[in-house]
Structures are given as structure tokens and as C-alpha cells.
């Protein structure tokens, strides 16, 4: 079967058809998917009713798959596989979560523009989100093209931000929504981490703005000045010229590059309608500041 790549947004979002991800991929197919991933940053595969094992196996081709952590809430019970993030409004009993369930805070946090796991020292390379049950209305996901957003900056702005480092913390982004339920142990496991503001990808040789709701301030700058710049860049990057909205159907799988995109969930009737998606997250190799230092050291 020949793979077909249909761009929905040039150099940003493409649909991949003519491949069944439940079957082992031929070397040529894998090569074509990788090439498309670098060119587009976001790939959409339709009608892929994968089992957890198949979802994890395909994800693992891109790198090490994170084991999901339950830092956020105190209960240990999980509804989904240990390597899956549960992106749903459904509890372990299979019913829609109670209105006051703590997990609702974290779903709300997904409505802030972000990219996954920047609050970890070694952040995420890519995520693969698979839809099982979706609402008829609402609950779309929006994506922002952070390479195009970077390219559109003035040369002056590019020079100003080139070397900046941003501190990221999930405790910060959750506080934005009024959530302060982290235990002391969880806070210790989730200290703020540094990430570059401009990410260069050696494979594509493109630069991207690396922003997320988790980014609290610019290291070495007065807090207010840093916030103003981060807010200004986020507003710039999330203009409609740089965003694409996906309406989900069961079996849709979207693979996004966390290094050069942002995304956010959009609202739906979450108290009465089921929405059930599952995500694997693939780890990068090293911290983004460390990577930049290594890249620069190898160029002198
Ligand atoms: C995620 C996420 C958005 C959504 O899975 O990482 O942010 O629309 N999801 O559910
Ligand atoms: Mn996310």
C-alpha cells in the first residue's frame, strides 16, 4: 500500500493515508512517515483503532515512551495503561467524573496553550493522541505552528530572544487556574526546570519558539518584564495565521512534534458528554538548554 501525504496546512499539518498502523511497517513506509514528520511537525492518521500495545509500539519507534505519572492527584487508581496519559472525563468506574473531581482541573489546564512536558528537565519529543470516544460538538484540539511563528518575527526580535532561557513549572501553570493541591512530595519531584526560548532542530535546521503555559519567567530578567515578553510571543504565535483546529472522530490518531508546536483543548459539554482520548508521550534525549550548549560547542 502506498503512503499518501495530504497537506492541510503547508509545512505544518498533514494527513497520512494508505497505512495501517496495526501492521508492522515496511522500511520504506517508516522512512516516508519520518520524512513527513520533519516536514510537517503534525501528522494525522484516520481510522486507526489501535490497541494500547499497538499504540505504544508505534510510539516507541520515535523514542522512549514515558511512563505516565500520577503526580497530580492523590489516588493511585488508573483507568488506562501505565504508559498512557488518560485524556478523558471518565473515572475508573467507567462513568463521567463527578463535577468536583480533581482531574477536571488538569483537563482545564489542557485548555491553556502548551506543549507537553516542558516542565520536565528532559522534555517530550512528540506525543501521539488517539481518540476513542468524542463529543459530537466541541472538544476540538487546536495546534499552533511555532516554526512559522518564529520565522515571522522581526530580525530585531529574533536577536533579542535568541539566547534566553525560560523557567518552566507545572506547579506554576496549575496555579494559574487556582489549583494548589500538589502534595509536598509531588512539588519536590516537580522542581522548576530551564528550557531555551528558541529551539533549533538539527535535523530540519529550523528554529521554533518554545513556549508553554508552564513557562513562568525568563531567567535573569525581572519577573514582570519576562512575563510581558512571554505573553507577547504567545499572542503572536497563536494568531489564526499560525493555528489549525482538528475536529476529532473515533480512531483518529495525531502525532505532534512537541519541540515546534503548541496545542490546546477546546471546551465541550464535559458534565454530560463523554470524551475519551489516550496519549503516549515520547521523551527527548536531553534538556533543551544542554542540547543548545552541546550544539554550540560543536560549532566553535
Ligand atoms: C494532550 C492535550 C488536548 C485535548 O493530550 O496533551 O493537551 O484536546 N490534549 O485533549
Ligand atoms: Mn498536552
Amino acid at each position: 500500500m502506498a503512503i499518501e501525504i495530504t497537506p492541510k496546512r503547508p509545512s505544518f499539518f498533514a494527513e497520512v493515508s494508505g497505512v495501517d498502523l496495526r501492521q508492522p511497517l515496511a522500511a520504506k513506509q517508516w522512512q516516508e512517515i519520518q520524512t513527513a514528520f520533519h516536514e510537517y511537525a503534525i501528522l494525522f492518521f484516520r481510522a486507526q483503532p489501535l490497541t494500547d500495545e499497538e499504540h505504544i509500539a508505534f510510539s516507541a519507534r520515535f523514542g522512549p515512551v514515558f511512563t505516565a505519572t500520577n503526580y497530580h492527584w492523590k489516588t493511585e487508581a488508573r483507568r488506562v495503561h501505565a504508559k498512557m496519559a488518560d485524556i478523558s472525563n471518565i473515572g475508573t468506574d467507567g462513568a463521567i467524573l463527578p463535577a468536583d473531581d480533581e482531574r477536571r482541573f488538569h483537563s482545564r489546564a489542557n485548555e491553556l496553550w502548551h506543549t507537553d512536558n516542558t516542565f520536565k528537565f528532559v522534555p517530550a519529543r512528540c506525543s501521539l493522541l488517539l481518540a476513542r470516544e468524542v463529543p459530537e460538538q466541541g472538544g476540538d484540539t487546536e495546534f499552533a505552528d511555532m516554526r512559522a511563528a518564529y520565522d515571522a518575527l522581526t530580525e530585531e526580535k529574533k536577536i533579542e530572544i535568541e539566547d534566553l532561557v525560560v523557567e518552566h513549572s507545572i506547579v506554576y501553570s496549575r496555579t494559574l487556574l487556582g489549583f494548589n493541591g500538589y502534595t509536598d512530595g509531588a512539588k519536590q519531584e516537580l522542581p522548576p526546570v530551564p528550557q531555551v526560548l528558541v529551539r533549533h532542530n538539527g535535523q530540519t535546521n529550523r528554529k521554533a519558539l518554545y513556549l508553554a503555559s508552564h513557562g513562568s519567567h525568563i531567567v535573569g530578567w525581572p519577573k514582570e518584564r519576562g512575563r510581558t515578553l512571554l505573553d507577547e510571543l504567545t499572542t503572536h504565535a497563536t494568531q489564526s495565521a499560525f493555528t489549525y483546529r482538528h475536529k476529532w472522530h473515533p480512531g483518529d490518531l495525531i502525532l505532534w512534534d512537541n519541540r515546534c508546536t503548541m496545542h490546546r483543548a477546546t471546551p465541550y459539554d464535559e458534565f454530560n458528554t463523554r470524551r475519551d482520548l489516550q496519549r503516549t508521550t515520547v521523551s527527548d534525549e536531553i534538556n533543551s538548554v544542554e542540547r543548545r550548549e552541546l550544539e554550540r560547542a560543536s560549532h566553535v
Side-chain angles (χ1 to χ4, degrees):
M1 205 163 28
I3 285 191
E4 209 177 305
I5 312 282
T6 311
K8 304 274 180 194
R9 262 309 168 90
S11 309
F12 180 43
F13 193 110
E15 177 170 351
V16 181
S17 49
V19 61
D20 179 351
L21 299 177
R22 289 171 304 183
Q23 308 296 331
L25 295 176
K28 185 166 174 288
Q29 289 178 310
W30 172 234
Q31 194 53 53
E32 285 172 1
I33 290 173
Q34 281 179 293
T35 304
F37 178 57
H38 287 132
E39 182 175 352
Y40 290 96
I42 304 183
L43 299 181
F44 161 45
F45 303 81
R46 204 188 288 270
Q48 302 285 347
L50 307 181
T51 62
D52 289 351
E53 284 67 29
E54 289 161 346
H55 185 169
I56 293 163
F58 179 55
S59 307
R61 301 208 62 159
F62 294 88
V65 180
F66 276 109
T67 298
T69 39
N70 248 3
Y71 293 124
H72 309 321
W73 48 92
K74 290 148 204 135
T75 62
E76 286 307 314
R78 283 186 65 79
R79 193 179 67 92
V80 299
H81 191 286
K83 293 203 173 207
M84 296 284 177
D86 187 1
I87 308 296
S88 79
N89 63 341
I90 299 167
T92 43
D93 60 357
I96 292 181
L97 292 168
D100 62 351
D101 192 282
E102 217 173 79
R103 274 185 52 200
R104 289 194 180 274
F105 260 110
H106 303 287
S107 308
R108 186 79 55 238
N110 278 347
E111 292 178 19
L112 303 175
W113 282 111
H114 68 283
T115 185
D116 295 331
N117 282 6
T118 58
F119 56 86
K120 294 194 177 173
F121 187 69
V122 178
R125 175 179 298 160
C126 58
S127 295
L128 297 94
L129 185 59
L130 177 65
R132 299 196 182 282
E133 264 184 277
V134 293
E136 262 176 42
Q137 278 185 14
D140 303 346
T141 305
E142 286 188 288
F143 296 93
D145 182 349
M146 306 304 277
R147 300 190 293 201
Y150 174 81
D151 290 346
L153 295 172
T154 62
E155 288 309 309
E156 224 171 23
K157 188 57 95 181
K158 286 180 185 165
I159 291 165
E160 179 192 346
I161 66 174
E162 175 73 16
D163 292 332
L164 297 179
V165 172
V166 179
E167 192 170 287
H168 289 246
S169 155
I170 193 167
V171 177
Y172 167 78
S173 58
R174 289 334 189 229
T175 310
L176 292 175
L177 296 168
F179 178 75
N180 50 20
Y182 285 108
T183 59
D184 287 344
K187 280 187 190 161
Q188 268 170 23
E189 284 185 65
L190 295 163
V193 299
Q195 305 290 357
V196 296
L197 178 55
V198 176
R199 263 198 98 144
H200 175 246
N201 181 328
Q203 273 167 307
T204 59
N205 203 25
R206 292 192 67 181
K207 285 180 180 170
L209 282 172
Y210 195 45
L211 296 166
S213 54
H214 313 300
S216 64
H217 63 277
I218 291 175
V219 176
W221 278 27
K223 290 260 160 73
E224 283 316 301
R225 183 169 166 229
R227 273 263 43 96
T228 304
L229 177 62
L230 293 175
D231 291 344
E232 173 198 317
L233 292 173
T234 304
T235 303
H236 163 77
T238 55
Q239 298 172 70
S240 56
F242 305 126
T243 61
Y244 182 85
R245 188 178 182 113
H246 180 76
K247 171 148 187 65
W248 291 94
H249 293 94
D252 286 357
L253 174 74
I254 296 189
L255 157 69
W256 64 78
D257 189 333
N258 280 300
R259 300 165 297 187
C260 59
T261 63
M262 281 205 291
H263 59 275
R264 69 169 176 185
T266 63
Y268 65 103
D269 183 6
E270 63 183 274
F271 300 106
N272 302 298
T273 316
R274 295 167 71 89
R275 184 175 190 265
D276 186 1
L277 295 90
Q278 290 183 29
R279 192 190 83 218
T280 51
T281 319
V282 174
S283 176
D284 210 337
E285 281 149 5
I286 56 171
N287 173 264
S288 62
V289 180
E290 286 185 342
R291 178 184 299 280
R292 180 161 75 193
E293 281 163 10
L294 284 177
E295 268 191 19
R296 287 188 176 170
S298 70
H299 283 102
V300 284

